[in-house]
Structure formats: structure tokens, C-alpha cells
Amino acid sequence: MPATAASNDDARLPRHVAIIMDGNGRWAEQRGKFRVSGHKAGVKSVRAAVSVGYRLGLDALTLFAFSSENWRRPEDEVSALMSLFIAVLGSEVRKLHRNNIRLRIIGDRSAFAPHLQCKINDAESLTANNTGLTLNIAANYGGRWDITQAAQQLAGRVQQGELTPEAITEELINEHIQLADLAPVDLLIRTGGEQRISNFLLWQLAYAELYFTSVLWPDFGEEAFSDAIAAFVSRERRFGCTGAQIRGMLKQE
Ligand code: IPE
Ligand code: IPE
Ligand code: MG
């Protein structure tokens, strides 16, 4: 990746893209493999998405890696996902840091093993002052959890006498919701063909464009991401860039 990201001032590119990375299990099953090999194959698509986001000069990219409902999966799949998460954090963080990318994990991290929580804290501290793309990984995240934790913080302030109930406005709730300090989500992409939100960013998606594709996450590369961006640009401006043009805006690695 180049040292500086592309500027996205001219084209009406999204500033913040969120992705529900779905379809890993089916990708593996179609190949007669265990589901976990689909999750492993999905890591390559994460790298591609980060690279595209960086080179397009996005402010933020938010990836749904593990939902608060995914604990319901078979124990061996959950533990394979946790191991993969730890391994990827270990292998990728320095590279992200070298590329001026700020990494954040959103979600209820109290459910994670202590050593994973430590790794998360270290990764966030290392990259905290980076000024390039902000990469948010949603892990043990649920949109309802997010709104609930904001409500709890505000209720605490009311109880302390710092705030009256009438002073709770949309803006104030917004300040306590995850990602509050970032540009609003402009574009939500869901791979894997389902057309639902699955308890991802409920509050933050209020005005987002929604883009659903049947491409399975491990197959979602630079080309598929460019097509999604092009669809967003055409919806915004009513005249379309093509995927090829968006790819033309990507600086060479
Ligand atoms: C998404 O892929 C990854 C996670 C939820 C962790 P899935 O594992 O949901 O893949 P499908 O939907 O079963 O194909
Ligand atoms: C959503 O995918 C969660 C992630 C991609 C991490 P799921 O596969 O868990 O969603 P449902 O169960 O199909 O709604
Ligand atoms: Mg799924």
C-alpha cells in the first residue's frame, strides 16, 4: 500500500462503508470442506477490503466479524473463530500500523477470554494515533446491545443528577453509540445473498444505502467491492461510474 491514501473529494464516494461479511460457511460447504476453512478463506477478502478502503481514501471501514448471536453456533466453530481472530490480530496489526491504519474493536469485549482482551487493547493502543483509514471490527457486537449500552450510560448520568430525562435527545444518544466520532455510515454491503441486517448497526444505518450481493465473502475481492462502490456512486449522483472506473481510481499498490 502507498504511504498516503487517495483523496475522495471529487467523486461522491462513501466516507464510511460497513460490511456484513456473510457466506463463509456456504463457500466451504460448496467445496466439500469444513466451515472453518471458509472463515480462513475469508481473511484474504478482509485484506482486500482494507486495501480498497485505504486506497479509495475512505475515512472508515466497519466489518461485522462476529455477532452477539454467533455464540449459538456449535462450540467447535465458535472456538475456531476465536482462534482465527487471535491469529489474525497477531499477524496483521503491525502491517496495519505501518500503513497508518487505526484499528478499533466494537462490541461487548467482556465475553472474550482475558488474553484476547489484552491483544485487542494492545492493538488499539498501538494504532490509536494513526490518521489514515479507521478500521472497526465488530466482534461480539449487536445493534441492540449498542443501543442498550448507550441507554445504560445515560441512565447512570440521570441517576447521578448530571442530566434530566428531558435533556436526552437524539444527539445525546448518538454521542454514546459506537462509532459516534466517525463519519456516518454511507453504504452497507452484505455479501452471501441474505437481505437482512442481522442485528448489525441498527442506529447507525438509519440513512445508509443498502447493497446486497449474492457473492460469498471469500469470493468478495477488489472487483466486487469496486462494483458496490460504483452502485453507491450511481445511486447518489444518478449517473453511474462503472466498476472499471472505480478501479481506475485505486492507486497501485
Ligand atoms: C459469516 O459467514 C461469518 C460469520 C458469521 C462469523 P457464515 O459462517 O455465516 O456463512 P454462511 O452464512 O453459513 O454461509
Ligand atoms: C451475520 O451473519 C453476522 C456476521 C457476518 C458476523 P450471520 O450468518 O450470523 O447472520 P444470520 O444468522 O444469517 O442472520
Ligand atoms: Mg451466515
Coordinates of all heavy atoms in Angstrom, one line a residue, residues 78-117:
V78 N -17.3 -21.8 17.1 CA -17.0 -20.6 17.8 C -15.5 -20.6 18.3 O -14.8 -19.6 18.1 CB -17.9 -20.5 19.1 CG1 -17.5 -19.4 20.0 CG2 -19.4 -20.3 18.7
S79 N -15.0 -21.7 18.7 CA -13.6 -21.7 19.2 C -12.7 -21.5 18.0 O -11.7 -20.8 18.1 CB -13.3 -22.8 20.1 OG -13.1 -24.0 19.4
A80 N -13.0 -22.1 16.9 CA -12.2 -21.9 15.7 C -12.2 -20.4 15.3 O -11.1 -19.9 14.9 CB -12.7 -22.8 14.5
L81 N -13.3 -19.8 15.4 CA -13.4 -18.4 15.0 C -12.6 -17.5 16.0 O -11.9 -16.6 15.5 CB -14.9 -17.9 15.0 CG -15.7 -18.3 13.8 CD1 -17.2 -18.1 14.0 CD2 -15.2 -17.4 12.6
M82 N -12.6 -17.8 17.3 CA -11.9 -17.1 18.2 C -10.4 -17.2 18.0 O -9.6 -16.3 18.0 CB -12.1 -17.6 19.7 CG -13.5 -17.2 20.2 SD -13.8 -15.4 20.2 CE -15.5 -15.4 19.8
S83 N -9.9 -18.5 17.7 CA -8.5 -18.7 17.4 C -8.1 -18.0 16.2 O -7.0 -17.4 16.1 CB -8.2 -20.2 17.1 OG -8.7 -21.0 18.2
L84 N -9.0 -17.9 15.2 CA -8.6 -17.2 13.9 C -8.5 -15.7 14.2 O -7.6 -15.1 13.7 CB -9.7 -17.5 12.9 CG -9.5 -17.0 11.5 CD1 -8.3 -17.6 10.9 CD2 -10.7 -17.3 10.6
F85 N -9.4 -15.2 15.0 CA -9.4 -13.8 15.4 C -8.1 -13.4 16.1 O -7.4 -12.5 15.7 CB -10.6 -13.5 16.3 CG -10.9 -12.1 16.6 CD1 -10.6 -11.1 15.7 CD2 -11.5 -11.7 17.8 CE1 -10.8 -9.8 15.9 CE2 -11.8 -10.4 18.1 CZ -11.4 -9.4 17.1
I86 N -7.6 -14.3 17.0 CA -6.4 -14.0 17.7 C -5.2 -14.1 16.7 O -4.3 -13.2 16.8 CB -6.2 -15.1 18.9 CG1 -7.3 -14.8 19.9 CG2 -4.8 -15.0 19.5 CD1 -7.4 -15.9 21.0
A87 N -5.2 -15.1 15.9 CA -4.1 -15.3 14.9 C -4.0 -14.1 14.0 O -2.9 -13.6 13.7 CB -4.3 -16.6 14.2
V88 N -5.2 -13.7 13.5 CA -5.2 -12.6 12.5 C -4.7 -11.3 13.2 O -4.0 -10.5 12.6 CB -6.5 -12.4 11.8 CG1 -6.6 -11.2 11.0 CG2 -6.8 -13.7 10.9
L89 N -5.2 -11.1 14.4 CA -4.8 -9.9 15.1 C -3.2 -9.9 15.2 O -2.6 -8.9 15.0 CB -5.4 -9.8 16.6 CG -6.7 -9.1 16.8 CD1 -7.0 -9.2 18.3 CD2 -6.6 -7.7 16.4
G90 N -2.7 -11.0 15.6 CA -1.3 -11.2 15.8 C -0.5 -10.9 14.5 O 0.5 -10.2 14.5
S91 N -1.0 -11.4 13.4 CA -0.2 -11.3 12.2 C -0.5 -10.0 11.4 O 0.4 -9.6 10.6 CB -0.6 -12.5 11.3 OG -1.9 -12.5 10.8
E92 N -1.6 -9.3 11.6 CA -1.9 -8.2 10.8 C -1.6 -6.8 11.4 O -1.5 -5.8 10.7 CB -3.3 -8.2 10.3 CG -3.8 -9.5 9.6 CD -3.1 -9.7 8.2 OE1 -3.1 -8.7 7.4 OE2 -2.6 -10.8 8.0
V93 N -1.6 -6.8 12.7 CA -1.7 -5.5 13.4 C -0.5 -4.6 13.0 O -0.6 -3.4 12.7 CB -1.8 -5.6 14.9 CG1 -1.5 -4.3 15.6 CG2 -3.1 -6.1 15.3
R94 N 0.7 -5.2 13.0 CA 1.9 -4.4 12.6 C 1.8 -3.8 11.2 O 2.1 -2.7 10.9 CB 3.2 -5.1 12.8 CG 3.7 -5.1 14.3 CD 5.0 -5.8 14.4 NE 4.8 -7.2 14.1 CZ 4.4 -8.1 15.0 NH1 4.0 -7.7 16.2 NH2 4.2 -9.4 14.7
K95 N 1.2 -4.6 10.3 CA 1.1 -4.2 8.9 C 0.1 -3.0 8.9 O 0.3 -2.0 8.2 CB 0.6 -5.3 8.1 CG 0.8 -5.2 6.6 CD 0.8 -6.5 5.9 CE -0.7 -6.9 5.6 NZ -0.8 -8.3 5.1
L96 N -1.0 -3.1 9.6 CA -2.0 -2.0 9.7 C -1.3 -0.8 10.2 O -1.5 0.3 9.7 CB -3.2 -2.4 10.6 CG -4.0 -3.6 10.1 CD1 -5.1 -3.9 11.2 CD2 -4.7 -3.3 8.8
H97 N -0.5 -0.9 11.2 CA 0.2 0.2 11.9 C 1.1 0.9 10.9 O 1.1 2.1 10.7 CB 0.9 -0.3 13.1 CG 1.5 0.8 13.9 ND1 0.8 2.0 14.3 CD2 2.8 1.0 14.4 CE1 1.6 2.8 15.0 NE2 2.8 2.2 15.1
R98 N 1.9 0.1 10.1 CA 2.8 0.6 9.1 C 2.0 1.4 8.1 O 2.6 2.4 7.5 CB 3.6 -0.5 8.4 CG 4.8 -1.0 9.2 CD 5.8 -1.7 8.2 NE 5.1 -2.8 7.5 CZ 5.0 -4.0 8.0 NH1 5.4 -4.3 9.2 NH2 4.4 -5.0 7.2
N99 N 0.8 1.1 7.8 CA 0.0 1.8 6.8 C -0.9 2.9 7.4 O -1.8 3.3 6.8 CB -0.8 0.7 6.0 CG 0.0 0.0 5.1 OD1 0.6 0.5 4.1 ND2 0.2 -1.3 5.4
N100 N -0.6 3.3 8.6 CA -1.2 4.4 9.3 C -2.7 4.1 9.5 O -3.6 5.0 9.5 CB -1.0 5.6 8.4 CG -1.3 6.9 9.1 OD1 -1.3 7.0 10.3 ND2 -1.7 8.0 8.4
I101 N -3.1 2.9 9.7 CA -4.5 2.5 9.9 C -4.8 2.4 11.4 O -4.0 1.8 12.1 CB -4.8 1.2 9.1 CG1 -4.8 1.4 7.6 CG2 -6.2 0.6 9.5 CD1 -4.9 0.2 6.7
R102 N -5.9 2.9 11.8 CA -6.3 2.9 13.2 C -7.3 1.8 13.4 O -8.3 1.7 12.7 CB -6.9 4.2 13.6 CG -7.4 4.3 15.0 CD -7.7 5.7 15.4 NE -8.8 6.3 14.5 CZ -9.6 7.3 14.9 NH1 -9.3 7.9 16.0 NH2 -10.5 7.7 14.1
L103 N -7.0 0.8 14.2 CA -7.8 -0.3 14.4 C -8.6 -0.2 15.7 O -8.1 0.2 16.8 CB -7.0 -1.6 14.6 CG -7.7 -2.9 14.8 CD1 -8.5 -3.3 13.6 CD2 -6.8 -4.0 15.1
R104 N -9.9 -0.4 15.6 CA -10.8 -0.4 16.8 C -11.7 -1.7 16.7 O -12.1 -2.1 15.7 CB -11.7 0.8 16.8 CG -11.0 2.0 17.1 CD -12.0 3.1 17.2 NE -11.4 4.4 17.5 CZ -12.1 5.5 17.4 NH1 -13.4 5.5 17.1 NH2 -11.5 6.7 17.7
I105 N -12.0 -2.2 17.9 CA -12.9 -3.3 18.0 C -14.1 -2.8 18.7 O -14.1 -2.2 19.7 CB -12.3 -4.5 18.9 CG1 -10.9 -4.8 18.4 CG2 -13.2 -5.7 18.9 CD1 -10.7 -5.3 17.0
I106 N -15.3 -3.0 18.1 CA -16.5 -2.6 18.7 C -17.3 -3.8 19.1 O -17.3 -4.8 18.4 CB -17.4 -1.6 17.8 CG1 -17.8 -2.3 16.5 CG2 -16.6 -0.3 17.6 CD1 -18.9 -1.5 15.8
G107 N -18.0 -3.7 20.2 CA -18.8 -4.9 20.7 C -18.5 -5.1 22.2 O -17.7 -4.4 22.8
D108 N -19.2 -6.0 22.7 CA -19.0 -6.3 24.2 C -17.8 -7.3 24.4 O -18.0 -8.5 24.2 CB -20.3 -6.9 24.7 CG -20.2 -7.2 26.2 OD1 -19.2 -6.9 26.8 OD2 -21.2 -7.8 26.7
R109 N -16.7 -6.7 24.6 CA -15.5 -7.5 24.7 C -15.3 -8.2 26.0 O -14.4 -9.1 26.2 CB -14.2 -6.6 24.4 CG -14.1 -5.5 25.3 CD -12.8 -4.7 25.0 NE -13.1 -3.8 23.8 CZ -12.1 -3.0 23.3 NH1 -10.9 -3.0 23.8 NH2 -12.4 -2.3 22.2
S110 N -16.2 -7.9 27.0 CA -16.1 -8.6 28.3 C -16.3 -10.1 28.2 O -15.9 -10.8 29.1 CB -17.1 -8.0 29.3 OG -18.4 -8.3 28.9
A111 N -17.0 -10.6 27.1 CA -17.2 -12.0 26.9 C -16.0 -12.7 26.4 O -16.0 -14.0 26.4 CB -18.4 -12.2 26.0
F112 N -15.0 -12.0 26.0 CA -13.8 -12.7 25.4 C -12.8 -13.1 26.5 O -12.8 -12.6 27.6 CB -13.1 -11.7 24.4 CG -13.9 -11.4 23.2 CD1 -14.0 -10.1 22.7 CD2 -14.5 -12.4 22.5 CE1 -14.7 -9.8 21.6 CE2 -15.3 -12.1 21.4 CZ -15.4 -10.8 20.9
A113 N -12.0 -14.1 26.1 CA -11.0 -14.6 27.0 C -10.0 -13.5 27.4 O -9.8 -12.6 26.5 CB -10.2 -15.8 26.4
P114 N -9.5 -13.5 28.6 CA -8.6 -12.4 29.0 C -7.5 -12.1 28.1 O -7.1 -11.0 27.8 CB -8.1 -12.8 30.4 CG -9.2 -13.8 30.9 CD -9.8 -14.4 29.7
H115 N -6.8 -13.2 27.5 CA -5.7 -12.9 26.7 C -6.1 -12.3 25.3 O -5.4 -11.5 24.8 CB -4.9 -14.2 26.4 CG -5.5 -15.3 25.6 ND1 -6.6 -16.0 26.2 CD2 -5.3 -15.7 24.4 CE1 -7.0 -16.9 25.2 NE2 -6.3 -16.7 24.2
L116 N -7.3 -12.6 24.9 CA -7.8 -11.9 23.7 C -8.1 -10.4 24.0 O -7.8 -9.6 23.2 CB -9.1 -12.6 23.2 CG -9.8 -12.0 21.9 CD1 -8.8 -11.8 20.8 CD2 -10.9 -12.9 21.4
Q117 N -8.7 -10.2 25.1 CA -8.9 -8.8 25.5 C -7.6 -8.0 25.6 O -7.6 -6.8 25.1 CB -9.6 -8.7 26.9 CG -11.1 -9.3 26.9 CD -11.8 -9.0 28.1 OE1 -11.7 -7.9 28.7 NE2 -12.6 -9.9 28.6

